[in-house]
C-alpha cells in the first residue's frame, strides 16, 4: 500500500503505511432497524497508523463526533461490573484527594451518570458533560446534572464561567473518541482548577499488543494511547502525569492522574510513571515491527473463529452471540461472520434489542431468549466481562450449552 499524506493529529508528524488494516466496516454502534436492512450500508476503511514521533496509534478520521454521538446506543449502567468498579473508584478517590461535601467534581463524557452518581451520593457537587443527548437525558432523569456538549476549549471556558473549576476532573474512556485531540486537552487544562487533579482512563495499547485485542479498534475510537503518547498530549498543554496504574477495565487500561505542570504537587511524580514508560519501551510500542507481528496474530484469530463457526454449522450446532458490543461488531465484520453462521445476539440493553448488528445483520434480542431456544454455544463478544456474563447466564450449562471466548485465542468453556 502506498504511503499516505496523513499527519498525526497530536504532533503533526507525517504518517506513512498503516500498521493494522481491518478492511472496510460500518460504524460499530450504527445499529439497524428492520426497515434499514434493504438500504446500502455505509462502510469505511478501518486502518491504524503509528506515529514515529509521539507513538500515538490512530485511525483516519472517517466519521465525525456528531455522526457517532448525536444518538448513541451505549449506556454504561447496564454493566454491573462497571458499576461495582465505579463505586470503588469513587470512594477511593474521595479518600485519596480528601474531597469534602460541596467540592466540585466534573466528568467529561459522563454517559448516563453511572460514575458521578457515587460522588453525588457522597455530597459532592457534580456536573456531567455528555455529547449524546439521549444519554445525557438519561443521566438527568437519575438526578445527575448534565449538559450536552462536545467538549473542547470553548466549552471548557463556558463551564468555568458558569460552574467554576473542579477539584477533580474525570475523563474516563473518552480520549480515544475525540478527533481534535489538542482542542480536547486544551479544554481539560482550561477547566481544571489550579490545584485540581485530572483523572484519565483509557484502554492501554500495551494490552492491545500483548493480547491481540484488535476488536477494540473501531471508527468511534480515533486513537489508542500508551503512557508515552498520553504524556506527550498532556505536556503539549501544560499538564503532566503524577501517577499511573494498570486496571483490568476493557481488558487492560491505564488510569493516569495528572496535574498542571506548574503545580507544586506535580514536582514529584510516582515512581510508577517511570516504571510504566520503561515497560512500554521494552514491549516495543514505538516500533513498526511490533504491529507487524500483531497483524499476523489478528489474522490467526479470524481463521480460528471462522473454522469454529463453520464446524458448528456442519454439526447442526446453534451459536448465539452474547453482548451487542462495539468490539464485537469489529470482530464479526473483520471475520466475515453474518447471520448464516450465528442465529441471533442478545444484550441486556433495551436500546439495542429489536435492532440488527451493523454489517453482520444479526438480530438482537433480550437475554431471556437464550432459555427459549437453548443454543449449543454462546459466543461472548464483550470478552473483557466474560466472567460476569458466565455467572449471570450460568443456566446455559443446565441444558449442556457452552461458552465461547474468541480473544486472544478461541476458548470453549463448559
Amino acid at each position: 500500500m502506498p504511503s499516505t499524506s496523513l499527519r498525526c493529529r497530536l504532533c503533526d508528524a507525517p504518517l506513512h503505511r498503516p500498521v493494522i488494516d481491518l478492511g472496510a466496516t460500518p460504524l460499530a454502534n450504527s445499529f439497524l432497524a428492520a426497515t434499514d436492512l434493504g438500504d446500502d450500508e455505509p462502510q469505511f476503511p478501518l486502518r491504524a497508523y503509528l506515529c514515529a514521533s509521539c507513538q500515538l496509534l490512530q485511525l483516519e478520521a472517517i466519521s465525525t463526533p456528531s455522526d457517532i454521538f448525536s444518538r448513541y446506543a451505549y449506556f454504561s449502567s447496564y454493566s454491573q461490573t462497571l458499576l461495582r468498579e465505579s463505586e470503588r473508584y469513587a470512594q477511593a478517590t474521595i479518600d485519596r484527594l480528601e474531597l469534602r461535601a460541596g467540592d466540585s467534581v466534573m466528568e467529561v463524557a459522563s454517559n448516563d451518570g453511572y460514575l458521578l452518581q457515587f460522588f453525588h451520593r457522597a455530597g459532592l457537587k457534580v456536573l456531567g458533560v455528555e455529547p449524546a443527548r439521549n444519554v445525557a437525558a438519561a443521566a438527568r432523569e437519575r438526578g445527575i446534572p448534565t449538559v450536552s456538549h462536545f467538549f473542547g476549549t470553548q466549552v471548557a471556558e463556558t463551564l468555568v464561567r458558569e460552574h467554576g473549576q473542579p477539584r477533580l476532573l474525570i475523563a474516563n474512556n473518552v480520549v480515544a473518541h475525540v478527533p481534535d485531540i489538542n482542542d480536547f486537552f486544551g479544554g481539560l487544562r482550561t477547566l481544571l482548577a489550579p490545584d485540581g487533579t485530572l483523572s484519565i482512563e483509557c484502554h492501554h495499547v500495551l494490552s492491545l499488543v500483548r493480547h491481540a485485542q484488535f476488536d477494540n479498534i473501531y471508527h468511534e475510537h480515533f486513537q489508542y494511547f500508551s503512557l508515552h503518547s498520553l504524556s506527550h498530549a498532556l505536556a503539549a498543554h501544560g499538564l503532566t502525569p503524577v501517577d499511573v496504574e494498570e486496571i483490568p477495565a476493557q481488558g487492560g487500561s491505564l488510569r493516569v492522574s495528572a496535574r498542571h505542570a506548574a503545580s507544586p504537587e506535580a514536582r514529584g511524580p510516582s515512581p510508577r510513571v517511570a516504571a510504566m514508560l520503561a515497560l512500554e519501551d521494552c514491549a516495543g510500542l514505538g516500533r513498526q515491527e511490533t504491529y507487524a507481528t500483531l497483524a499476523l496474530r489478528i489474522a490467526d484469530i479470524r481463521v480460528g473463529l471462522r473454522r469454529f463457526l463453520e464446524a458448528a454449522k456442519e454439526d447442526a450446532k446453534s451459536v448465539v452471540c452474547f453482548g451487542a458490543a462495539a468490539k464485537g461488531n469489529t470482530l464479526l465484520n473483520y471475520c466475515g461472520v453474518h447471520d448464516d453462521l450465528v442465529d441471533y445476539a442478545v444484550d441486556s440493553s433495551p436500546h439495542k434489542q429489536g435492532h440488527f448488528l451493523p454489517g453482520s445483520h444479526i438480530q438482537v434480542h433480550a437475554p431471556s431468549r437464550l432459555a427459549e431456544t437453548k443454543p449449543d454455544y454462546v459466543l461472548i463478544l464483550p470478552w473483557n466481562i466474560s466472567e460476569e456474563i458466565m455467572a449471570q447466564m450460568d443456566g446455559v450449562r443446565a441444558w449442556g450449552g457452552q461458552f465461547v471466548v474468541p480473544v486472544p485465542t478461541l476458548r470453549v468453556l463448559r
Side-chain angles (χ1 to χ4, degrees):
M1 182 178 294
S3 297
T4 74
S5 58
L6 296 174
R7 304 190 75 85
C8 175
R9 65 172 54 92
L10 176 56
C11 72
D12 202 42
L15 302 174
H16 301 294
R17 300 176 186 274
V19 293
I20 300 172
D21 189 344
L22 301 180
T25 72
L27 298 180
N29 279 302
S30 57
F31 292 84
L32 304 173
T35 53
D36 298 326
L37 295 180
D39 299 336
D40 289 334
E41 190 174 6
Q43 304 213 4
F44 308 94
L46 189 54
R47 297 189 291 250
Y49 297 79
L50 179 69
C51 178
S53 179
C54 69
Q55 298 189 21
L56 182 66
L57 187 68
Q58 57 201 281
L59 305 185
E60 303 161 78
I62 299 297
S63 55
T64 67
S66 58
D67 293 333
I68 298 167
F69 298 111
S70 57
R71 187 156 189 89
Y72 200 45
Y74 180 72
F75 289 74
S76 297
S77 291
Y78 288 101
S79 170
Q80 294 303 310
T81 296
L82 182 58
L83 288 176
R84 287 193 297 271
E85 290 301 320
S86 297
E87 185 171 18
R88 281 194 286 267
Y89 164 78
Q91 189 57 58
T93 303
I94 290 170
D95 293 342
R96 176 171 56 87
L97 298 181
E98 299 181 344
L99 298 177
R100 299 178 177 85
D103 282 342
S104 175
V105 178
M106 295 187 193
E107 183 180 11
V108 177
S110 51
N111 202 264
D112 58 5
Y114 75 101
L115 173 59
L116 284 179
Q117 65 180 325
F118 299 114
F119 290 99
H120 183 63
R121 292 175 190 175
L124 299 170
K125 178 183 176 183
V126 302
L127 179 69
V129 183
E130 170 53 51
R133 295 185 182 278
N134 60 318
V135 182
R140 288 191 291 270
E141 288 174 4
R142 67 182 345 136
I144 304 302
T146 304
V147 296
S148 190
H149 295 296
F150 291 102
F151 184 78
T153 302
Q154 287 189 345
V155 169
E157 292 169 350
T158 300
L159 291 172
V160 171
R161 288 196 302 270
E162 296 179 356
H163 302 279
Q165 293 174 295
R167 282 198 60 198
L168 174 63
L169 177 57
I170 303 169
N172 287 353
N173 300 306
V174 61
V175 291
H177 290 276
V178 288
D180 191 343
I181 197 69
N182 284 301
D183 181 57
F184 184 85
F185 274 88
L188 295 177
R189 175 195 59 200
T190 298
L191 185 55
L192 182 65
D195 62 345
T197 297
L198 170 63
S199 181
I200 295 176
E201 289 182 17
C202 58
H203 185 242
H204 195 186
V205 169
L206 181 60
S207 298
L208 190 155
V209 169
R210 278 179 169 174
H211 306 298
Q213 296 170 349
F214 74 95
D215 50 349
N216 270 308
I217 298 174
Y218 43 93
H219 298 103
E220 289 91 329
H221 285 171
F222 293 98
Q223 53 263 328
Y224 308 83
F225 281 94
S226 61
L227 185 57
H228 274 90
S229 54
L230 188 59
S231 297
H232 195 288
L234 290 166
H237 297 280
L239 301 165
T240 188
V242 295
D243 203 0
V244 62
E245 60 180 312
E246 288 186 290
I247 59 175
Q250 304 298 326
S253 295
L254 290 175
R255 178 180 289 156
V256 177
S257 295
R259 289 182 177 268
H260 290 285
S263 168
E265 293 87 349
R267 293 176 184 169
S270 163
R272 287 187 289 267
V273 172
M276 180 60 68
L277 293 171
L279 183 63
E280 291 180 349
D281 286 338
C282 290
L285 298 188
R287 298 198 298 267
Q288 298 267 333
E289 52 267 31
T290 299
Y291 299 89
T293 301
L294 174 61
L296 296 175
R297 295 177 63 196
I298 292 171
D300 286 343
I301 291 173
R302 175 170 57 186
V303 170
L305 179 59
R306 285 201 59 87
R307 282 178 178 169
F308 171 80
L309 293 175
E310 289 165 357
K313 185 177 181 66
E314 288 179 6
D315 293 340
K317 301 289 187 180
S318 55
V319 180
V320 169
C321 293
F322 192 104
K327 59 164 51 73
N329 290 327
T330 290
L331 176 75
L332 295 174
N333 285 309
Y334 171 70
C335 295
V337 176
H338 298 88
D339 55 1
D340 59 330
L341 293 176
V342 171
D343 292 359
Y344 60 88
V346 300
D347 195 277
S348 58
S349 172
H351 303 279
K352 298 179 182 180
Q353 294 164 12
H355 289 78
F356 295 79
L357 300 183
S360 65
H361 295 179
I362 297 167
Q363 190 170 15
V364 183
H365 296 272
S368 59
R369 188 168 174 82
L370 290 175
E372 297 171 6
T373 66
K374 295 180 171 57
D376 298 295
Y377 298 106
V378 176
L379 176 64
I380 299 177
L381 298 182
W383 45 260
N384 53 299
I385 56 171
S386 58
E387 295 298 326
E388 173 186 329
I389 291 169
M390 287 188 290
Q392 290 177 349
M393 297 290 114
D394 190 58
V396 168
R397 296 186 173 98
W399 64 72
Q402 300 176 75
F403 295 100
V404 182
V405 180
V407 177
T409 56
L410 190 139
R411 294 175 293 146
V412 179
L413 304 174
R414 299 182 182 276

